[in-house]
Structure formats: C-alpha cells, structure tokens
Amino acid sequence: MTEPTQTNPGLFLTFEGVDGAGKSTHVQWAKQYLCDRGVTVCLTREPGGTALGEQLRDLLLTEPMHLETETLLMFAARNEHLRTVIEPALAAGQWVVCDRFTDATFAYQGAGRALGRDRINQLAQWVHPGFEPNRTWLFDVPLEVARQRLSAAREPDRFEREQADFFKRTREGYMQCVKASPERFLTVDGTQSIERIREVLAADLDALLRRASKGRG
Ligand SMILES: Nc1ncnc2c1ncn2[C@@H]1O[C@H](COP(=O)(O)OP(=O)(O)OP(=O)(O)O)[C@@H](O)[C@H]1O
Ligand SMILES: [Mg+2]
C-alpha cells in the first residue's frame, strides 16, 4: 500500500474489477467499518460523484460515441470529481472510498476497447500528476461467475461471445495495472463468499488504520 502524502492527510481507497465482480457489494460495508473505528469517510463512485459527473455518467452509459470521446469524458468527469470532492475531502482528513477510478479507464478503454495505455497515461498525468490511490482492491472473477451474477446463466450468443473477448481483455487490463503498481493493489478472489471477502478486507483495513495512526503519532 502507498503511504499518505503530507499534503493529503486522508487516505484514498478504490475498489476495482469487471462488471459483477462485487465492488458495490462491499463499498458501503467498508465505509461503515471505518466509521465504526472513528474515521470520517467520503463514499463516492466513478464515473460520477458530482452533479456534472453523474450527467456525464448517464451519457457514457447510454450514448454511442467514439472511443476517444468516451475516454476524454471519463477524465472530464474525473477532473470534476477530483477538484470538487476527492481532494477537498482528503485535505480535510477524510478517507475517500471510491467505486472505480483511473485503473478502470486503463482496463476498459485501454485494454477492453484497445486504446492502449499511452494515451490514458497522458491524460492521467494531466489530470492527476503524481496522485494515485493509497490502496486498491481488485475484485477478480472469471467470466462465468460475473455473467451468472449479472444474469441467468445461458449459452452465449454471438453478441455475448464478443462481450466475452471484451471481458477477457478488460480483466487482463486490470492485471497489467497490478503489474505496474504491485504495492498499491490487493487482488481479492471475488469467487469467495461475501463473508470471507469481508474478513480479507477487514484485515487490510485494520493494517491501514494502524499505519495511519502510527503516521499521526
Ligand atoms: N462474493 C459474492 N458471492 C456471491 N454473490 C456476490 C458476491 N459478491 C457480489 N455478489 C452478487 O453479485 C451481484 C453483482 O455484485 P456487485 O453489484 O457488487 O458488482 P459490481 O462489481 O459492483 O458490478 P458493476 O461493475 O456492474 O457495478 C450482486 O447481485 C451481488 O449481490
Ligand atoms: Mg457496482
């Protein structure tokens, strides 16, 4: 995990993984776990997290658009989110728990849609130079598990087979993110029970809390 910087006394924690991996199942729980231990938590998500960002999210999820437009809109929403929500919360000493961040752009637009990492690196350098989450939990599940969770299991049709390739590239894109910053990530086997995953998360949150209190002491 990455040490907090002096200018950002709060910690920035992100949840990542393909659709249906189990991120949203745990974000509210993680917030409560930290609140119960005296931390003020800002729970948020991407794309979104601001009024403008939620409008951009609606566009991103519904309107067909070029890949470059999609990527730029992701970073437009992210810039607004950073400036108006994430940075002020961290500066005030809050911990920010965020459902997806820039790793998702590397995985989905960079790998899933094959834009590549270079352009996304350029945008990340522009929008948040030197800034990254202190900890990222990557929920990893195979396609079959994600699909079963998102819809009733059935033989994939042609469209769903295309989606399977997209899923595979996206999952691999996340693995490239782990390779690029191994100390920041904890990869969670998302096929485990919710209870078991919460034990893993609780142990890691306890470690973060210990490090944060040592840093203050
Ligand atoms: N460990 C688990 N075991 C069994 N079911 C799970 C587990 N984790 C999540 N689920 C179920 O799988 C479904 C998808 O989970 P969730 O909404 O948390 O995924 P997500 O990663 O947030 O997906 P998306 O990216 O689409 O928002 C939900 O119905 C949830 O209850
Ligand atoms: Mg979700």
Side-chain angles (χ1 to χ4, degrees):
M1 57 192 83
T2 312
E3 293 292 340
T5 61
Q6 285 208 318
T7 45
N8 282 339
L11 294 190
F12 181 41
L13 314 175
T14 58
F15 284 73
E16 294 285 358
V18 296
D19 294 29
K23 301 173 294 298
S24 304
T25 301
H26 298 287
V27 286
Q28 178 62 43
W29 174 88
K31 174 183 176 169
Q32 195 57 50
Y33 190 89
L34 290 168
C35 287
D36 290 347
R37 285 152 187 81
V39 178
T40 306
V41 176
C42 168
L43 177 58
T44 187
R45 69 169 181 179
E46 288 210 351
T50 65
L52 176 63
E54 292 293 330
Q55 287 186 44
L56 293 173
R57 180 189 181 94
D58 282 347
L59 285 173
L60 282 160
L61 298 185
T62 56
E63 290 292 322
M65 62 183 76
H66 289 100
L67 172 57
E68 290 82 358
T69 313
E70 181 177 297
T71 307
L72 288 163
L73 280 185
M74 286 290 180
F75 272 96
R78 180 161 300 135
N79 187 67
E80 198 66 16
H81 192 207
L82 274 162
R83 305 287 102 83
T84 61
V85 175
I86 297 173
E87 287 173 350
L90 292 174
Q94 297 179 18
W95 290 27
V96 176
V97 173
C98 193
D99 194 335
R100 296 194 185 283
F101 191 62
T102 298
D103 296 309
T105 316
F106 279 111
Y108 281 79
Q109 282 72 41
R113 297 206 202 287
L115 181 66
R117 292 182 68 86
D118 288 354
R119 298 250 186 93
I120 298 168
N121 262 324
Q122 285 167 4
L123 290 170
Q125 279 307 309
W126 183 35
V127 170
H128 55 84
F131 176 84
E132 59 173 17
N134 299 101
R135 175 54 113 197
T136 300
W137 293 287
L138 173 60
F139 286 72
D140 186 49
V141 291
L143 171 65
E144 305 72 48
V145 172
R147 192 169 272 169
Q148 264 168 22
R149 286 187 188 165
L150 291 176
S151 63
R154 58 181 181 274
E155 277 298 300
D157 59 24
R158 196 165 66 85
F159 179 66
E160 283 168 339
R161 277 203 298 280
E162 274 183 24
Q163 281 191 328
D165 289 343
F166 175 74
F167 176 98
K168 190 165 166 277
R169 287 195 300 275
T170 304
R171 189 181 181 201
E172 285 168 2
Y174 270 126
M175 291 307 170
Q176 282 185 314
C177 291
V178 176
K179 269 197 198 140
S181 322
E183 73 296 339
R184 173 163 64 85
F185 278 90
L186 179 67
T187 304
V188 177
D189 175 359
T191 64
Q192 301 173 105
S193 69
I194 290 172
E195 295 69 30
R196 176 63 197 133
I197 289 171
R198 286 187 177 163
E199 285 171 16
V200 171
L201 291 177
D204 203 46
L205 286 166
D206 288 342
L208 285 166
L209 286 161
R210 277 196 301 276
R211 288 168 75 120
S213 68
K214 261 196 214 155
R216 276 196 298 272

